[in-house]
Every structure is written in structure tokens, then in C-alpha cells.
Amino acid sequence: MASGPGPEPMPEPMPGYAQLLQRSYRSLLDAARGCADCGWERSRRSWAQHAHLAAAELLLLLLAGLAWTALRKAAAARLFRPLARWCQLQPRDAAKMPESAWKFLFYSTAWGYSAYLLFGTNYPFFHDPPSVFYDWKPGMEVPRDIAVAYLLQGSFYGHSIYATLYMDAWRKDSVVMLLHHIVTLILIVFSYAFRYHNVGILVLFLHDINDVQLEFTKLNVYFKFRGGVYHRLNDLISDVGCISFSVSWFWFRLYWFPLKVLYATCHCSLLSVPDIPFYFFFNALLLALLLMNIYWFLYIVVFAAKVLTGQVREVSDVREYDETGEGPRSLPSGKEGSLPTPKPWKEEKPLRNGLVKDKRF
């Protein structure tokens, strides 16, 4: 008597940090020992055998990146800057608001779509990260819903490289941010070509949420002084957003990311695909991403220390340079108080940029 299909295997429990280090180190060491012919020639052969990336797909990625740039310029000119003028933001806040508004809209949409893929469909990658490599085959078809996410994210990070150099305000970490965008774009393109798109969606989900919280918090910082009036609600939201951002940064990028993604790529990938191509290349890039997450977490720790020691009395981005030489804005003593009338827009000092030192949005 024929029996029906057996029950699906239970997801592997998420490891702790000690298990991650022990098993990943052992897997990396075993892979290195078994890679007698590693080098340029093997990489060239592996690319020819396993990479599947059409010229038309690269062209589409480039065109979409140009479209993001054009859309951002149009949104800043037609929507964000008029909104800042209408709300009578302070000049230095009005200059920064378009960048944060643009990033908030994109990352909210992108993270929402990634969350839908992971929790609104049958993809088990979040609850069972090792499954990202189950049934992997070279040149396997990329599901259309994941391909859409890859096109949107890859083209946006291509645009972000240009934006960091020519459009965004230059900050203390802008060089690291530029490196982050380059590493992320390489990961997106190569993971698509080698059909590691399942783990790619998990990586994007675990990172985009923090950008949503960061830009939302910064927008409330900019909008708490508008029309010459201090708005306590925006100040409260920015305080809550700062706490939420700090906690979620650790939870998503320093807890879930290594224990879900790096454990799957460093250890579980070799169990499912013993001779998985470009194993060291992808894991090196993901480890670089983790190091950058730790680097940015230090900014969060520095800010928290300044708050606890009384050096900072309001939420601010400690990565930014002081463009105006002004000190912190003093808060009114009442619930909502008046502020000095902002300087006219024509007196606004342009923001500093890496290649274009004086620029306006």
C-alpha cells in the first residue's frame, strides 16, 4: 500500500553566537582545505558554468537606476522642497528634508515588499534560513516576484552610488556609505547571476527596516520646528523613533543577520551544495557588510553615551557635520512655544557634498 508524502522537515533551530562561530569556522576551514585549485582560472570556469546574467538584464538595471535619479530630482523640485517651504521649516532642516523624505518613501516600499515575500507567501526563508539553498541549481528560474524586488533594489543602489557622490549631504561616514552601496550592488548582481536570490531577499529584509526608522525619525526632527513653532508631538515621535531604531539595529543587523544569514551561507550552504560556486567571494562580502553594521552601531553607542552624559539634549544625527556653526536648538519651556522667524530661503547655506562641495537639492 503506497503511502503519501511524509511531513516536511522541521526548520533547524537558530544557533547562538558560539555555534555560529564554531560551525562557520569549521566549514570555512574545510572548504579552504578542499580548494586545491582555487584561483583565477577556477573562478573563470565557475563564472562560465554557473553565472546566468543577460546583457538585456544589465541594461534594464542601468535604465532603472537612471530613472530613480530623474524621479528623485523631480520629487525634490516638485514635492519635497515646496512642502518644506509651505511648512516653513528652518533653513537647515529644509535643506536636509528632501533626502530623508525620498529615502523614507523608497525604503518603506522596499521593506514592505520584502516583508510580503517572506510572510505573505509560501517562502520559508525567514523561519528556516537553511532552506535558501534547498534545491539550488545553476541557472534555475528566478520567481517573478523576487526578480521584481531584485530589479528595484539593484537599480536603487546603483542610483545611490551616484547620489552619495553628487546629491546627498556629505557626512562623516559617507565614504563607508559609498563602500556599503558598492558592496550591496555587487551582492545583488552576483547573487542574481548565481541564483542565490533566496538569501538575497532575506538580507534585504533584515537591513531595510533600519533605514525606514532612521529616515522617519529624521523627518520628525526636521518637522518639530516649523512655522516658527515647536511641536512636541514630532519631538516625542523622534525620541521614540531613536530608541526603536537603536534596538532594531542590533536585533536585525547584529543578531538576526549573522545568526540567520551568515550561518546559512557559511555553514548550511555546503551541506546542501558541497561544491557551491563563489563560496568565499559571497561570504567575504557578507562579512564586510557585518563589519559595516558594527561600525555604524558605534555611532549609535556614541549618541547614547552623549545623551546619558548630558552632552546632547535632543535627537540628532551624530554623523553630520555642523554646516552652520550653530549650537543645539533650545527647546521652549512651554508645551508649544514660538521660535525666532527663520532666515529667508535665499540666505540658506548650501549643504556640503563629497565631490560638489556646495550644492542645493
Side-chain angles (χ1 to χ4, degrees), residues 93-105:
D93 295 335
K96 298 173 185 177
M97 189 274 282
E99 177 185 339
S100 290
W102 167 256
K103 291 179 179 178
F104 173 71
L105 287 177

Side-chain angles (χ1 to χ4, degrees), residues 33-48:
R33 288 172 177 169
C35 192
D37 60 339
C38 283
W40 171 253
E41 184 59 30
R42 175 168 177 171
S43 298
R44 188 190 62 80
R45 292 198 312 267
S46 183
W47 175 270

Side-chain angles (χ1 to χ4, degrees), residues 210-228:
N210 301 125
D211 293 296
V212 175
Q213 293 174 313
L214 174 64
E215 303 305 337
F216 180 71
T217 300
K218 290 168 67 174
L219 285 173
N220 277 279
V221 171
Y222 303 150
F223 276 88
K224 69 181 178 183
F225 295 106
R226 62 183 187 273

Side-chain angles (χ1 to χ4, degrees), residues 43-64:
S43 298
R44 188 190 62 80
R45 292 198 312 267
S46 183
W47 175 270
Q49 294 172 3
H50 300 108
H52 294 78
L53 186 64
E57 292 173 321
L58 286 175
L59 179 60
L60 182 60
L61 191 71
L62 175 61
L63 293 176

Side-chain angles (χ1 to χ4, degrees), residues 160-161 164-165 173-183:
S160 296
I161 293 173
T164 300
L165 292 171
D173 68 333
S174 288
V175 173
V176 180
M177 183 67 72
L178 183 62
L179 177 62
H180 169 271
H181 293 338
I182 293 172
V183 168

Side-chain angles (χ1 to χ4, degrees), residues 34-351:
C35 192
D37 60 339
C38 283
W40 171 253
E41 184 59 30
R42 175 168 177 171
S43 298
R44 188 190 62 80
R45 292 198 312 267
S46 183
W47 175 270
Q49 294 172 3
H50 300 108
H52 294 78
L53 186 64
E57 292 173 321
L58 286 175
L59 179 60
L60 182 60
L61 191 71
L62 175 61
L63 293 176
L66 295 174
W68 282 122
T69 303
L71 183 60
R72 172 172 172 174
K73 291 182 177 180
R78 302 295 181 88
L79 177 61
F80 300 139
R81 289 197 315 189
L83 177 62
R85 285 194 293 267
W86 183 74
C87 293
Q88 299 180 37
L89 300 185
Q90 291 189 303
R92 64 178 179 181
D93 295 335
K96 298 173 185 177
M97 189 274 282
E99 177 185 339
S100 290
W102 167 256
K103 291 179 179 178
F104 173 71
L105 287 177
F106 172 79
Y107 285 117
S108 297
T109 303
W111 184 77
Y113 186 59
S114 298
Y116 161 74
L117 291 177
L118 291 175
F119 301 104
T121 65
N122 294 324
Y123 297 127
F125 312 138
F126 181 82
H127 300 291
D128 187 18
S131 68
V132 297
F133 294 106
Y134 294 170
D135 301 322
W136 177 87
K137 295 181 180 63
M140 61 189 292
E141 183 180 358
V142 180
R144 182 168 297 182
D145 50 6
I146 293 182
V148 169
Y150 259 68
L151 174 61
L152 295 177
Q153 293 273 10
S155 60
F156 186 81
Y157 277 101
H159 149 77
S160 296
I161 293 173
Y162 171 85
T164 300
L165 292 171
Y166 293 101
M167 302 177 74
D168 295 348
W170 195 253
R171 300 179 175 90
K172 298 173 185 177
D173 68 333
S174 288
V175 173
V176 180
M177 183 67 72
L178 183 62
L179 177 62
H180 169 271
H181 293 338
I182 293 172
V183 168
T184 303
L185 181 59
I186 293 174
L187 277 170
I188 289 174
V189 173
F190 274 68
S191 64
Y192 180 86
F194 283 90
R195 299 308 190 247
Y196 300 148
H197 46 273
N198 294 341
V199 69
I201 291 298
L202 187 56
V203 172
L204 292 169
F205 168 78
L206 293 176
H207 283 74
D208 286 348
I209 180 60
N210 301 125
D211 293 296
V212 175
Q213 293 174 313
L214 174 64
E215 303 305 337
F216 180 71
T217 300
K218 290 168 67 174
L219 285 173
N220 277 279
V221 171
Y222 303 150
F223 276 88
K224 69 181 178 183
F225 295 106
R226 62 183 187 273
V229 176
Y230 161 71
H231 294 266
R232 183 177 294 276
L233 178 60
N234 294 103
D235 196 12
L236 177 61
I237 293 175
S238 66
D239 290 340
V240 174
C242 183
I243 297 172
S244 173
F245 167 75
S246 302
V247 173
S248 69
W249 184 281
F250 175 83
W251 195 261
F252 279 76
R253 296 195 180 200
L254 300 182
Y255 180 67
W256 273 343
F257 174 63
L259 298 185
K260 286 182 178 289
V261 173
L262 291 180
Y263 182 74
T265 59
C266 291
H267 176 64
C268 301
S269 60
L270 294 176
L271 302 179
S272 297
V273 189
D275 196 25
I276 191 167
F278 278 69
Y279 170 81
F280 294 104
F281 175 76
F282 281 106
N283 279 298
L285 291 178
L286 290 171
L287 287 171
L289 205 57
L290 177 62
L291 290 176
M292 285 184 275
N293 290 339
I294 295 173
Y295 167 80
W296 277 309
F297 188 68
L298 295 179
Y299 276 102
I300 298 175
V301 174
V302 167
F303 176 76
K306 288 185 176 182
V307 171
L308 292 175
T309 58
Q311 300 179 51
V312 173
R313 291 186 300 170
E314 63 175 336
V315 173
S316 63
D317 192 339
V318 295
R319 303 170 303 154
E320 293 184 349
Y321 293 102
D322 186 2
E323 298 293 341
T324 62
E326 301 173 2
R329 290 167 288 194
S330 58
L331 300 180
S333 57
K335 292 184 177 180
E336 297 205 356
S338 299
L339 292 170
T341 304
K343 297 179 181 179
W345 270 68
K346 64 181 180 180
E347 298 181 17
E348 174 192 338
K349 185 176 180 180
L351 292 177

